[in-house]
Amino acid sequence: MILREEQLPDFVKEMVERIGMEAQRLSFFTRSLLSFARSDADVDTEADVNLVLQEVMDFLRYEARKDSIMVIEEKDFDLPPIAADANKLKQVFINLIMNAFQAMEDGGTLLLKTYAADGPFVAVELADTGKGIPVGAIDHIFEPFFTTKAANEGTGLGLYITRHIIERLGGKIQVRSVVNEGTTFTLLFPL
Ligand SMILES: Nc1ncnc2c1ncn2[C@@H]1O[C@H](COP(=O)(O)OP(=O)(O)O)[C@@H](O)[C@H]1O
Ligand SMILES: [Mg+2]
């Protein structure tokens, strides 16, 4: 006997719906893992951080407008290229910028700054005016699966992957945050 959907008991409908939601969550999770695994294959040997940031912002600009977020860019256009794969850098910037947008649900400002720092390093600073990170959480944000978001919004892998990519390049990632004021991530890439 084959039942049509409207003939199914409520608890079965509910279960089917939950299975669908879990499947979606798992597929999102697998995709993050796959892009993490793939990210070990370097394609480019040199990347221009200003250009990569530009490409990422072209892709996320709609997202910013939708959430009434103003993006300010202060770029040093005399920076030399860094030894990195552009696609991995893209993944780093997308992770950090999406986190910033998600922290500014009621709007805000994201400052993207590039400059030369002592080391020598190429530095990228991403400063948002979002909700900030509580003291108890800041020590855990780079751990795999640490998330304060709902299951369909975050996997807790973004910063873990981000740090992995940056450290493989010999770089550093630093964070400072004040609750209700905002969060600043500073990335340092060796020349
Ligand atoms: N810009 C930010 N502002 C406030 N909290 C942040 C920011 N970036 C990261 N976080 C915190 O760090 C946690 C881990 O981030 P991430 O590894 O990208 O995982 P996810 O975004 O999937 O939760 C987030 O859940 C959030 O609590
Ligand atoms: Mg994230």
Side-chain angles (χ1 to χ4, degrees):
M1 180 178 75
I2 296 170
L3 291 172
R4 273 177 298 147
E5 196 184 327
E6 59 270 24
Q7 296 172 300
L8 291 172
D10 277 349
F11 83 92
V12 175
K13 278 193 231 161
E14 230 166 83
M15 267 165 68
V16 169
E17 200 174 312
R18 284 192 63 147
I19 291 168
M21 271 163 59
E22 284 300 289
Q24 219 177 336
R25 191 177 67 82
L26 286 172
S27 106
F28 179 68
F29 174 64
T30 321
R31 263 181 288 136
S32 328
L33 277 183
L34 285 177
S35 68
F36 182 32
R38 259 202 316 269
S39 79
D40 273 352
D42 288 297
V43 179
D44 301 335
T45 52
E46 278 197 342
D48 171 348
V49 289
N50 290 320
L51 188 66
V52 176
L53 266 179
Q54 181 63 48
E55 284 171 359
V56 168
M57 273 321 298
D58 286 345
F59 171 68
L60 294 177
R61 193 116 19 215
Y62 167 77
E63 209 66 35
R65 236 170 319 190
K66 188 183 75 179
D67 296 335
S68 51
I69 290 164
M70 188 160 73
V71 179
I72 298 173
E73 299 182 29
E74 273 177 33
K75 290 177 175 167
D76 175 353
F77 285 104
D78 296 324
L79 290 174
I82 61 167
D85 177 66
N87 278 315
K88 274 199 253 168
L89 269 194
K90 247 182 228 176
Q91 203 180 340
V92 162
F93 295 147
I94 290 174
N95 284 340
L96 294 171
I97 294 170
M98 286 305 294
N99 278 347
F101 286 178
Q102 287 175 320
M104 298 189 284
E105 274 171 349
D106 307 318
T109 305
L110 174 65
L111 170 66
L112 301 175
K113 196 172 154 185
T114 63
Y115 56 97
D118 285 343
F121 291 108
V122 164
V124 180
E125 198 175 284
L126 305 97
D128 68 57
T129 60
K131 61 181 171 211
I133 305 171
V135 178
I138 203 155
D139 292 336
H140 302 291
I141 59 172
F142 294 105
E143 290 169 8
F145 306 113
F146 178 84
T147 183
T148 55
K149 295 167 195 172
N152 56 340
E153 279 173 38
T155 58
L157 287 172
L159 287 178
Y160 173 68
I161 292 169
T162 295
R163 184 163 77 170
H164 172 87
I165 294 173
I166 293 170
E167 288 184 349
R168 250 175 52 98
L169 298 173
K172 289 181 224 172
I173 179 165
Q174 297 162 347
V175 58
R176 46 180 207 279
S177 186
V178 179
V179 169
N180 294 327
E181 283 185 21
T183 303
T184 301
F185 282 91
T186 305
L187 318 184
L188 297 170
F189 299 100
L191 283 178

